[in-house]
Amino acid sequence: MPGAADSHGLTLRQDYFGDPAAWAGLVALLQDTFGIDVGIQDRFGGPDPTSMPFGYFDGSGACVANFSAFSMPLMIEGRRVKAAGFQSGAVRPEWRGRGLYRDLMRRAFGWCDTQGFELALLLTDKPALYQPYGFKVLPQYQFSGPPPAHAGLAGSSRALLLDDPDDLALVMRVLRERTAVSSAFSVAAQAEMFLLNSHFDPDIRLAHLEQSGAIIAWRSGEAAFQLLDVAGRTIPPLSVILAALDQRPGRIEVCFPPDRLGWQGTPEPFVSYTSLMVRGDAADRLTGPVMLSPMAEF
Ligand SMILES: CC(C)(COP(=O)(O)OP(=O)(O)OC[C@H]1O[C@@H](n2cnc3c(N)ncnc32)[C@H](O)[C@@H]1OP(=O)(O)O)[C@@H](O)C(=O)NCCC(=O)NCCS
């Protein structure tokens, strides 16, 4: 397929993460566009091996435009769904308005269709960009309410730090072995975004529950205890999580459907500057309010 950029002397590259110079080019593009350093992933085992990046590079090797797909299996209404996420969409300012992003979107969505993904997801502050390709905004809800009754024998917990190599290895192992945190809507397998989000947000705390071996991602605000994710072979009840963390908040906010927590909250619209957009029939099976865990944001 001839590229939109052929006449501009750019080279199209696909699936290029095996080339360290090209990966560094994408790191620079995302640093310059969004002010984030995804190169930190090199410390966490490198970029997601399921990634399928599409990028345009200039004669000096600089990445001037990119859009990537990656595999993110989801649990939806009790069934594992083959889903793809799209991320790292950016075009350098001097190259904008020439159809480069349109070209990369078509390639990435086309690739996704040939791979048999049942669902495609992305998070964006520009929903209009993706509507022509069949993406629809999926409203998100967080779940709020009073805490459950205090659990008795819940065991204890230990705070984890990703800077500690042993803690990092533990988190990576538990993420590999995890069960879905919600049967209604959650990530079934994907470690890279959990690690990256923990790294980028200094308010996110990680704790290891000694009894169940689960890892809890949480934030403590003045108004509420926020549960962001639970990674483990089993999902402990919310009462046990709070007791093990020694937290007695007045109010709880759970940032994923709480169907496996032994607790029910009231769904409240989740206000964010980004919208979750989906494409594919699998989304039609959703019967209740959902939220993608902030630990899976991409
Ligand atoms: C958004 C961005 C990727 C567009 O790149 P681009 O190469 O200039 O886009 P294109 O020229 O290929 O335009 C593609 C289409 O998107 C539309 N578009 C471009 N910018 C848009 C915007 N900000 N909002 C909505 N639509 C937009 C164009 O009108 C065009 O529509 P068409 O296909 O119907 O003609 C680029 O402006 C950018 O990098 N912005 C900063 C980072 C960003 O916002 N990334 C997207 C994150 S989800």
Side-chain angles (χ1 to χ4, degrees), residues 136-151:
K136 291 181 188 144
V137 172
L138 184 62
Q140 297 199 84
Y141 297 84
Q142 64 183 21
F143 300 81
S144 308
H150 193 70

Side-chain angles (χ1 to χ4, degrees), residues 124-135:
T124 182
D125 62 345
K126 302 178 179 68
L129 205 52
Y130 304 101
Q131 272 151 3
Y133 301 93
F135 282 85

Side-chain angles (χ1 to χ4, degrees), residues 33-34 89-92 95-103 105-106 123-126 128-130 132-133:
T33 309
F34 302 112
V91 176
R92 289 198 178 275
W95 288 96
R96 290 180 190 166
R98 306 185 198 201
L100 284 186
Y101 200 57
R102 186 189 313 126
D103 177 274
M105 283 192 288
R106 285 183 183 163
L123 285 157
T124 182
D125 62 345
K126 302 178 179 68
L129 205 52
Y130 304 101
Y133 301 93

Side-chain angles (χ1 to χ4, degrees), residues 135-267:
F135 282 85
K136 291 181 188 144
V137 172
L138 184 62
Q140 297 199 84
Y141 297 84
Q142 64 183 21
F143 300 81
S144 308
H150 193 70
L153 294 168
S156 58
S157 66
R158 180 174 73 81
L160 297 172
L161 293 172
L162 294 184
D163 289 336
D164 179 317
D166 292 337
D167 285 0
L168 175 61
L170 173 70
V171 175
M172 289 173 77
R173 177 176 59 75
V174 174
L175 286 172
R176 269 197 309 276
E177 297 170 350
R178 76 179 301 179
T179 182
V181 70
S182 157
S183 303
F185 186 81
S186 63
V187 169
Q190 217 271 341
E192 290 75 10
M193 295 321 301
F194 186 105
L195 294 167
L196 211 52
N197 287 318
S198 312
H199 172 78
F200 283 144
D201 184 344
D203 291 336
I204 293 177
R205 302 202 212 175
L206 301 181
H208 186 227
L209 302 198
E210 278 173 8
Q211 221 169 56
S212 64
I215 289 175
I216 313 300
W218 61 290
R219 263 190 303 236
S220 136
E222 273 173 31
F225 170 95
Q226 262 194 341
L227 184 59
L228 306 175
D229 203 353
V230 181
R233 286 176 185 264
T234 58
I235 306 298
L238 180 58
S239 56
V240 168
I241 293 174
L242 291 170
L245 294 178
D246 198 19
Q247 293 291 305
R248 293 169 191 255
R251 197 167 171 75
I252 306 283
E253 285 170 8
V254 174
C255 299
F256 52 84
D259 49 281
R260 301 189 70 185
L261 289 180
W263 172 88
Q264 278 187 328
T266 306

Side-chain angles (χ1 to χ4, degrees), residues 69-72 82-86 111-112 117-122 298:
F70 65 103
S71 169
M72 198 175 72
K82 187 176 173 187
F86 292 90
W111 175 84
C112 180
F117 285 106
E118 299 170 73
L119 189 75
L121 294 112
L122 52 83
F298 52 90

